[in-house]
Amino acid sequence: MRFLSPSTLQEALEAKAEHPGAVPITGGTDVMVELNFDKHRPEVLLDLTRIPELTHWETTDDGHTRLGAAVPYTRVIAELPTLAPALAKASRTVASPQIRNRGTVGGNLGGASPAGDTHPPLLATDATIELASTRGRRRVKARDFYLSFRTTARQDDELITAILLPTPTGPQHFAKIGTRNAMVIAVTSFALALNGRDRTVGTGIGSAGPTPLRAEAAEDFLTHEIDWDAPGLLPETTVRRFGELVAAAARPIDDQRGSAAYRRHALSVMARRTLTWSITDYRKETAPCA
């Protein structure tokens, strides 16, 4: 196995073009597990930890936060709780402090496990994935990034360089069900984002299908049920219906972590909870000043 450690993004892109099968590594929290258990042994490992561009985040002129793919979860939690609330909340649930110090959103995207904690917030907030190669850069919406089980829109010669997160214009929440509170893979998870500017709703479902999913029917339903000008508490029938539509959007299986039926039930509960939290927050945000 060869180990390449470029110091610039251009060098990394040239290495990826020359070795399309090279596996990028930053935190190594997934890659090293696969190596240690001999599940995957690539011919080339491409170390990206020395590339400064990937380890920074910044706000852009077009109203986004550009998050470098190698920014660790710990920094997302500490530095982006207002610019990326749902992502920061999801990052807080990842494994242990040691893993959060090393693991990255870019690595979560690269592995593309449907149980990855950061995928639901990226879908709910309509994030965009930036991909780069020696051919240039392109952007792919998170909703178009996940193609099938652990397969994404990234081409073999491309690297994930950044995630573009829209500036929040409403509450964002994330909920996760696991067999315990720490060091656990999600049985299922859910993210909800209210966009007060465009008057839209975003959702993201994790670990309940071959890929991370959106609950589009639930989004459309809730968009028309909220009084965006003067939000009030929603009727119980509306909250329950939203939970039902979220559960219906899932495509879960039975496995060692939980049954398909339990996952659907848990999603319905989390959808109702996050909706209640979000509406409460939105009422506070839009309440007239005394």
Side-chain angles (χ1 to χ4, degrees):
M1 181 188 302
R2 295 183 61 189
F3 184 81
L4 304 179
S5 186
S7 58
T8 68
L9 181 58
Q10 184 60 34
E11 290 176 357
L13 297 178
E14 290 172 358
K16 196 72 170 79
E18 184 178 354
H19 306 283
V23 173
I25 181 170
T26 50
T29 57
D30 287 330
V31 173
M32 293 308 298
V33 172
E34 293 185 344
L35 286 174
N36 290 337
F37 284 91
D38 207 23
K39 291 184 176 180
H40 185 207
R41 192 156 294 276
E43 293 184 3
V44 179
L45 277 180
L46 184 58
D47 173 34
L48 304 178
T49 58
R50 298 173 59 207
I51 301 174
E53 179 179 339
L54 303 182
T55 61
H56 297 301
W57 67 267
E58 62 182 356
T59 55
T60 65
D61 293 337
D62 60 354
H64 287 77
T65 296
R66 185 181 184 278
L67 177 68
V71 175
Y73 296 121
T74 299
R75 289 185 55 201
V76 174
I77 296 166
E79 300 171 21
L80 299 178
T82 57
L83 291 173
L87 185 60
K89 292 170 184 174
S91 297
R92 191 173 286 110
T93 73
V94 173
S96 66
Q98 296 91 333
I99 297 297
R100 293 194 290 271
N101 285 339
R102 298 292 301 171
T104 66
V105 180
N108 220 204
L109 286 166
S113 165
D117 292 320
T118 64
H119 303 311
L122 298 184
L123 286 171
T125 59
D126 198 27
T128 299
I129 317 304
E130 182 184 274
L131 302 166
S133 70
T134 55
R135 296 177 285 111
R137 301 197 187 205
R138 66 187 181 107
R139 294 178 175 180
V140 179
K141 286 286 190 180
R143 67 183 66 174
D144 301 319
F145 185 73
Y146 311 101
L147 302 182
S148 60
F149 180 69
R150 288 188 178 272
T151 301
T152 69
R154 185 187 66 81
Q155 300 297 309
D156 287 342
D157 65 336
E158 290 180 319
L159 294 174
I160 299 168
T161 50
I163 301 93
L164 298 168
L165 305 159
T167 299
T169 61
Q172 298 179 7
H173 282 285
F174 173 81
K176 171 181 174 178
I177 294 291
T179 53
R180 56 184 183 180
N181 290 332
M183 292 296 291
V184 65
I185 299 174
V187 173
T188 190
S189 58
F190 180 72
L192 176 64
L194 303 186
N195 186 335
R197 181 189 59 205
D198 297 333
R199 302 188 173 192
T200 57
V201 174
T203 60
I205 295 172
S207 200
T211 68
L213 302 166
R214 291 170 59 209
E216 296 184 47
E219 294 174 1
D220 292 341
F221 168 76
L222 191 56
T223 295
H224 294 94
E225 291 295 318
I226 295 175
D227 183 344
W228 296 95
D229 292 317
L233 294 179
L234 295 172
E236 178 59 28
T237 54
T238 299
V239 176
R240 187 165 296 278
R241 180 56 179 160
F242 177 70
E244 292 170 351
L245 290 172
V246 168
R251 291 184 282 155
I253 60 172
D254 297 327
D255 64 15
Q256 68 273 19
R257 297 199 305 278
S259 68
Y262 176 72
R263 284 184 162 97
R264 287 195 179 94
H265 170 71
L267 278 169
S268 178
V269 172
M270 289 189 294
R272 297 198 303 267
R273 287 178 180 173
T274 54
L275 175 55
T276 301
W277 298 337
S278 296
I279 289 296
T280 300
D281 290 346
Y282 191 57
R283 292 181 70 200
K284 292 178 181 177
E285 293 175 6
T286 57
C289 296

PDB file of all heavy atoms in Angstrom, residues 264-283:
ATOM      1  N   ARG A 264     -39.731   3.166  11.774  1.00  0.00           N
ATOM      2  CA  ARG A 264     -40.822   4.038  11.339  1.00  0.00           C
ATOM      3  C   ARG A 264     -41.490   4.714  12.541  1.00  0.00           C
ATOM      4  O   ARG A 264     -41.806   5.915  12.496  1.00  0.00           O
ATOM      5  CB  ARG A 264     -41.852   3.228  10.539  1.00  0.00           C
ATOM      6  CG  ARG A 264     -41.382   2.824   9.149  1.00  0.00           C
ATOM      7  CD  ARG A 264     -42.553   2.362   8.293  1.00  0.00           C
ATOM      8  NE  ARG A 264     -42.113   1.999   6.958  1.00  0.00           N
ATOM      9  CZ  ARG A 264     -41.785   0.760   6.582  1.00  0.00           C
ATOM     10  NH1 ARG A 264     -41.846  -0.228   7.473  1.00  0.00           N
ATOM     11  NH2 ARG A 264     -41.397   0.508   5.354  1.00  0.00           N
ATOM     12  N   HIS A 265     -41.712   3.947  13.582  1.00  0.00           N
ATOM     13  CA  HIS A 265     -42.325   4.531  14.787  1.00  0.00           C
ATOM     14  C   HIS A 265     -41.430   5.623  15.364  1.00  0.00           C
ATOM     15  O   HIS A 265     -41.911   6.710  15.720  1.00  0.00           O
ATOM     16  CB  HIS A 265     -42.562   3.432  15.826  1.00  0.00           C
ATOM     17  CG  HIS A 265     -42.973   3.965  17.171  1.00  0.00           C
ATOM     18  ND1 HIS A 265     -44.217   4.521  17.413  1.00  0.00           N
ATOM     19  CD2 HIS A 265     -42.279   4.056  18.342  1.00  0.00           C
ATOM     20  CE1 HIS A 265     -44.282   4.921  18.669  1.00  0.00           C
ATOM     21  NE2 HIS A 265     -43.123   4.660  19.264  1.00  0.00           N
ATOM     22  N   ALA A 266     -40.122   5.330  15.470  1.00  0.00           N
ATOM     23  CA  ALA A 266     -39.183   6.307  16.040  1.00  0.00           C
ATOM     24  C   ALA A 266     -39.129   7.566  15.192  1.00  0.00           C
ATOM     25  O   ALA A 266     -39.064   8.687  15.729  1.00  0.00           O
ATOM     26  CB  ALA A 266     -37.796   5.683  16.160  1.00  0.00           C
ATOM     27  N   LEU A 267     -39.154   7.423  13.884  1.00  0.00           N
ATOM     28  CA  LEU A 267     -39.137   8.595  13.006  1.00  0.00           C
ATOM     29  C   LEU A 267     -40.379   9.460  13.213  1.00  0.00           C
ATOM     30  O   LEU A 267     -40.298  10.692  13.232  1.00  0.00           O
ATOM     31  CB  LEU A 267     -39.046   8.159  11.543  1.00  0.00           C
ATOM     32  CG  LEU A 267     -37.649   7.825  11.038  1.00  0.00           C
ATOM     33  CD1 LEU A 267     -37.724   7.147   9.675  1.00  0.00           C
ATOM     34  CD2 LEU A 267     -36.793   9.084  10.956  1.00  0.00           C
ATOM     35  N   SER A 268     -41.526   8.818  13.369  1.00  0.00           N
ATOM     36  CA  SER A 268     -42.750   9.579  13.610  1.00  0.00           C
ATOM     37  C   SER A 268     -42.650  10.373  14.903  1.00  0.00           C
ATOM     38  O   SER A 268     -43.030  11.553  14.952  1.00  0.00           O
ATOM     39  CB  SER A 268     -43.945   8.609  13.672  1.00  0.00           C
ATOM     40  OG  SER A 268     -45.134   9.318  13.955  1.00  0.00           O
ATOM     41  N   VAL A 269     -42.102   9.754  15.944  1.00  0.00           N
ATOM     42  CA  VAL A 269     -41.950  10.436  17.230  1.00  0.00           C
ATOM     43  C   VAL A 269     -40.957  11.594  17.110  1.00  0.00           C
ATOM     44  O   VAL A 269     -41.212  12.709  17.582  1.00  0.00           O
ATOM     45  CB  VAL A 269     -41.494   9.440  18.316  1.00  0.00           C
ATOM     46  CG1 VAL A 269     -41.150  10.182  19.605  1.00  0.00           C
ATOM     47  CG2 VAL A 269     -42.572   8.399  18.571  1.00  0.00           C
ATOM     48  N   MET A 270     -39.798  11.341  16.478  1.00  0.00           N
ATOM     49  CA  MET A 270     -38.804  12.400  16.335  1.00  0.00           C
ATOM     50  C   MET A 270     -39.308  13.542  15.467  1.00  0.00           C
ATOM     51  O   MET A 270     -39.008  14.716  15.741  1.00  0.00           O
ATOM     52  CB  MET A 270     -37.507  11.814  15.753  1.00  0.00           C
ATOM     53  CG  MET A 270     -36.750  10.929  16.713  1.00  0.00           C
ATOM     54  SD  MET A 270     -35.106  10.463  16.104  1.00  0.00           S
ATOM     55  CE  MET A 270     -35.556   9.440  14.689  1.00  0.00           C
ATOM     56  N   ALA A 271     -40.080  13.226  14.445  1.00  0.00           N
ATOM     57  CA  ALA A 271     -40.636  14.275  13.592  1.00  0.00           C
ATOM     58  C   ALA A 271     -41.573  15.169  14.398  1.00  0.00           C
ATOM     59  O   ALA A 271     -41.542  16.402  14.276  1.00  0.00           O
ATOM     60  CB  ALA A 271     -41.370  13.653  12.409  1.00  0.00           C
ATOM     61  N   ARG A 272     -42.415  14.572  15.223  1.00  0.00           N
ATOM     62  CA  ARG A 272     -43.341  15.363  16.040  1.00  0.00           C
ATOM     63  C   ARG A 272     -42.585  16.214  17.052  1.00  0.00           C
ATOM     64  O   ARG A 272     -42.929  17.382  17.281  1.00  0.00           O
ATOM     65  CB  ARG A 272     -44.334  14.429  16.754  1.00  0.00           C
ATOM     66  CG  ARG A 272     -45.224  13.636  15.815  1.00  0.00           C
ATOM     67  CD  ARG A 272     -46.448  13.072  16.513  1.00  0.00           C
ATOM     68  NE  ARG A 272     -46.141  12.230  17.655  1.00  0.00           N
ATOM     69  CZ  ARG A 272     -46.004  10.903  17.601  1.00  0.00           C
ATOM     70  NH1 ARG A 272     -46.111  10.278  16.427  1.00  0.00           N
ATOM     71  NH2 ARG A 272     -45.772  10.210  18.693  1.00  0.00           N
ATOM     72  N   ARG A 273     -41.554  15.623  17.668  1.00  0.00           N
ATOM     73  CA  ARG A 273     -40.774  16.371  18.663  1.00  0.00           C
ATOM     74  C   ARG A 273     -40.048  17.549  18.027  1.00  0.00           C
ATOM     75  O   ARG A 273     -40.094  18.679  18.542  1.00  0.00           O
ATOM     76  CB  ARG A 273     -39.771  15.438  19.341  1.00  0.00           C
ATOM     77  CG  ARG A 273     -40.396  14.465  20.309  1.00  0.00           C
ATOM     78  CD  ARG A 273     -39.343  13.541  20.904  1.00  0.00           C
ATOM     79  NE  ARG A 273     -39.931  12.595  21.835  1.00  0.00           N
ATOM     80  CZ  ARG A 273     -39.264  11.592  22.395  1.00  0.00           C
ATOM     81  NH1 ARG A 273     -37.986  11.403  22.106  1.00  0.00           N
ATOM     82  NH2 ARG A 273     -39.863  10.772  23.241  1.00  0.00           N
ATOM     83  N   THR A 274     -39.349  17.297  16.931  1.00  0.00           N
ATOM     84  CA  THR A 274     -38.586  18.386  16.310  1.00  0.00           C
ATOM     85  C   THR A 274     -39.504  19.458  15.759  1.00  0.00           C
ATOM     86  O   THR A 274     -39.153  20.643  15.767  1.00  0.00           O
ATOM     87  CB  THR A 274     -37.671  17.852  15.203  1.00  0.00           C
ATOM     88  OG1 THR A 274     -38.446  17.088  14.246  1.00  0.00           O
ATOM     89  CG2 THR A 274     -36.566  16.957  15.761  1.00  0.00           C
ATOM     90  N   LEU A 275     -40.686  19.073  15.303  1.00  0.00           N
ATOM     91  CA  LEU A 275     -41.646  20.066  14.830  1.00  0.00           C
ATOM     92  C   LEU A 275     -42.118  20.943  15.992  1.00  0.00           C
ATOM     93  O   LEU A 275     -42.190  22.175  15.864  1.00  0.00           O
ATOM     94  CB  LEU A 275     -42.836  19.383  14.164  1.00  0.00           C
ATOM     95  CG  LEU A 275     -43.981  20.307  13.733  1.00  0.00           C
ATOM     96  CD1 LEU A 275     -43.484  21.429  12.831  1.00  0.00           C
ATOM     97  CD2 LEU A 275     -45.087  19.499  13.048  1.00  0.00           C
ATOM     98  N   THR A 276     -42.420  20.332  17.115  1.00  0.00           N
ATOM     99  CA  THR A 276     -42.855  21.103  18.289  1.00  0.00           C
ATOM    100  C   THR A 276     -41.760  22.058  18.744  1.00  0.00           C
ATOM    101  O   THR A 276     -42.025  23.240  19.034  1.00  0.00           O
ATOM    102  CB  THR A 276     -43.238  20.149  19.436  1.00  0.00           C
ATOM    103  OG1 THR A 276     -44.298  19.288  18.994  1.00  0.00           O
ATOM    104  CG2 THR A 276     -43.694  20.935  20.657  1.00  0.00           C
ATOM    105  N   TRP A 277     -40.520  21.562  18.814  1.00  0.00           N
ATOM    106  CA  TRP A 277     -39.396  22.434  19.194  1.00  0.00           C
ATOM    107  C   TRP A 277     -39.258  23.590  18.210  1.00  0.00           C
ATOM    108  O   TRP A 277     -39.050  24.740  18.600  1.00  0.00           O
ATOM    109  CB  TRP A 277     -38.097  21.645  19.204  1.00  0.00           C
ATOM    110  CG  TRP A 277     -38.040  20.512  20.184  1.00  0.00           C
ATOM    111  CD1 TRP A 277     -38.781  20.357  21.325  1.00  0.00           C
ATOM    112  CD2 TRP A 277     -37.188  19.357  20.101  1.00  0.00           C
ATOM    113  NE1 TRP A 277     -38.448  19.181  21.948  1.00  0.00           N
ATOM    114  CE2 TRP A 277     -37.475  18.555  21.235  1.00  0.00           C
ATOM    115  CE3 TRP A 277     -36.224  18.928  19.191  1.00  0.00           C
ATOM    116  CZ2 TRP A 277     -36.821  17.337  21.460  1.00  0.00           C
ATOM    117  CZ3 TRP A 277     -35.570  17.728  19.413  1.00  0.00           C
ATOM    118  CH2 TRP A 277     -35.874  16.941  20.540  1.00  0.00           C
ATOM    119  N   SER A 278     -39.358  23.269  16.914  1.00  0.00           N
ATOM    120  CA  SER A 278     -39.126  24.281  15.879  1.00  0.00           C
ATOM    121  C   SER A 278     -40.193  25.358  15.884  1.00  0.00           C
ATOM    122  O   SER A 278     -39.896  26.553  15.751  1.00  0.00           O
ATOM    123  CB  SER A 278     -39.062  23.608  14.497  1.00  0.00           C
ATOM    124  OG  SER A 278     -37.964  22.719  14.416  1.00  0.00           O
ATOM    125  N   ILE A 279     -41.446  24.954  16.015  1.00  0.00           N
ATOM    126  CA  ILE A 279     -42.536  25.937  16.039  1.00  0.00           C
ATOM    127  C   ILE A 279     -42.417  26.837  17.264  1.00  0.00           C
ATOM    128  O   ILE A 279     -42.625  28.057  17.193  1.00  0.00           O
ATOM    129  CB  ILE A 279     -43.905  25.236  16.010  1.00  0.00           C
ATOM    130  CG1 ILE A 279     -44.140  24.628  14.618  1.00  0.00           C
ATOM    131  CG2 ILE A 279     -45.017  26.203  16.343  1.00  0.00           C
ATOM    132  CD1 ILE A 279     -44.237  25.648  13.490  1.00  0.00           C
ATOM    133  N   THR A 280     -42.051  26.244  18.402  1.00  0.00           N
ATOM    134  CA  THR A 280     -41.855  27.040  19.613  1.00  0.00           C
ATOM    135  C   THR A 280     -40.751  28.068  19.409  1.00  0.00           C
ATOM    136  O   THR A 280     -40.895  29.243  19.760  1.00  0.00           O
ATOM    137  CB  THR A 280     -41.512  26.124  20.801  1.00  0.00           C
ATOM    138  OG1 THR A 280     -42.588  25.211  21.018  1.00  0.00           O
ATOM    139  CG2 THR A 280     -41.270  26.946  22.065  1.00  0.00           C
ATOM    140  N   ASP A 281     -39.640  27.627  18.811  1.00  0.00           N
ATOM    141  CA  ASP A 281     -38.531  28.548  18.538  1.00  0.00           C
ATOM    142  C   ASP A 281     -38.940  29.624  17.539  1.00  0.00           C
ATOM    143  O   ASP A 281     -38.580  30.805  17.694  1.00  0.00           O
ATOM    144  CB  ASP A 281     -37.326  27.777  17.985  1.00  0.00           C
ATOM    145  CG  ASP A 281     -36.663  26.894  19.023  1.00  0.00           C
ATOM    146  OD1 ASP A 281     -36.955  27.055  20.222  1.00  0.00           O
ATOM    147  OD2 ASP A 281     -35.854  26.029  18.622  1.00  0.00           O
ATOM    148  N   TYR A 282     -39.670  29.220  16.500  1.00  0.00           N
ATOM    149  CA  TYR A 282     -40.050  30.172  15.456  1.00  0.00           C
ATOM    150  C   TYR A 282     -40.995  31.240  16.007  1.00  0.00           C
ATOM    151  O   TYR A 282     -40.912  32.416  15.625  1.00  0.00           O
ATOM    152  CB  TYR A 282     -40.700  29.420  14.294  1.00  0.00           C
ATOM    153  CG  TYR A 282     -40.883  30.265  13.054  1.00  0.00           C
ATOM    154  CD1 TYR A 282     -39.789  30.890  12.440  1.00  0.00           C
ATOM    155  CD2 TYR A 282     -42.149  30.440  12.492  1.00  0.00           C
ATOM    156  CE1 TYR A 282     -39.958  31.660  11.297  1.00  0.00           C
ATOM    157  CE2 TYR A 282     -42.319  31.210  11.360  1.00  0.00           C
ATOM    158  CZ  TYR A 282     -41.222  31.819  10.767  1.00  0.00           C
ATOM    159  OH  TYR A 282     -41.388  32.585   9.646  1.00  0.00           O
ATOM    160  N   ARG A 283     -41.883  30.858  16.908  1.00  0.00           N
ATOM    161  CA  ARG A 283     -42.788  31.833  17.523  1.00  0.00           C
ATOM    162  C   ARG A 283     -41.989  32.866  18.311  1.00  0.00           C
ATOM    163  O   ARG A 283     -42.281  34.063  18.292  1.00  0.00           O
ATOM    164  CB  ARG A 283     -43.795  31.138  18.450  1.00  0.00           C
ATOM    165  CG  ARG A 283     -44.795  30.261  17.739  1.00  0.00           C
ATOM    166  CD  ARG A 283     -45.750  29.644  18.731  1.00  0.00           C
ATOM    167  NE  ARG A 283     -46.646  30.637  19.309  1.00  0.00           N
ATOM    168  CZ  ARG A 283     -47.306  30.465  20.443  1.00  0.00           C
ATOM    169  NH1 ARG A 283     -47.130  29.362  21.152  1.00  0.00           N
ATOM    170  NH2 ARG A 283     -48.118  31.392  20.882  1.00  0.00           N
TER     171      ARG A 283
END
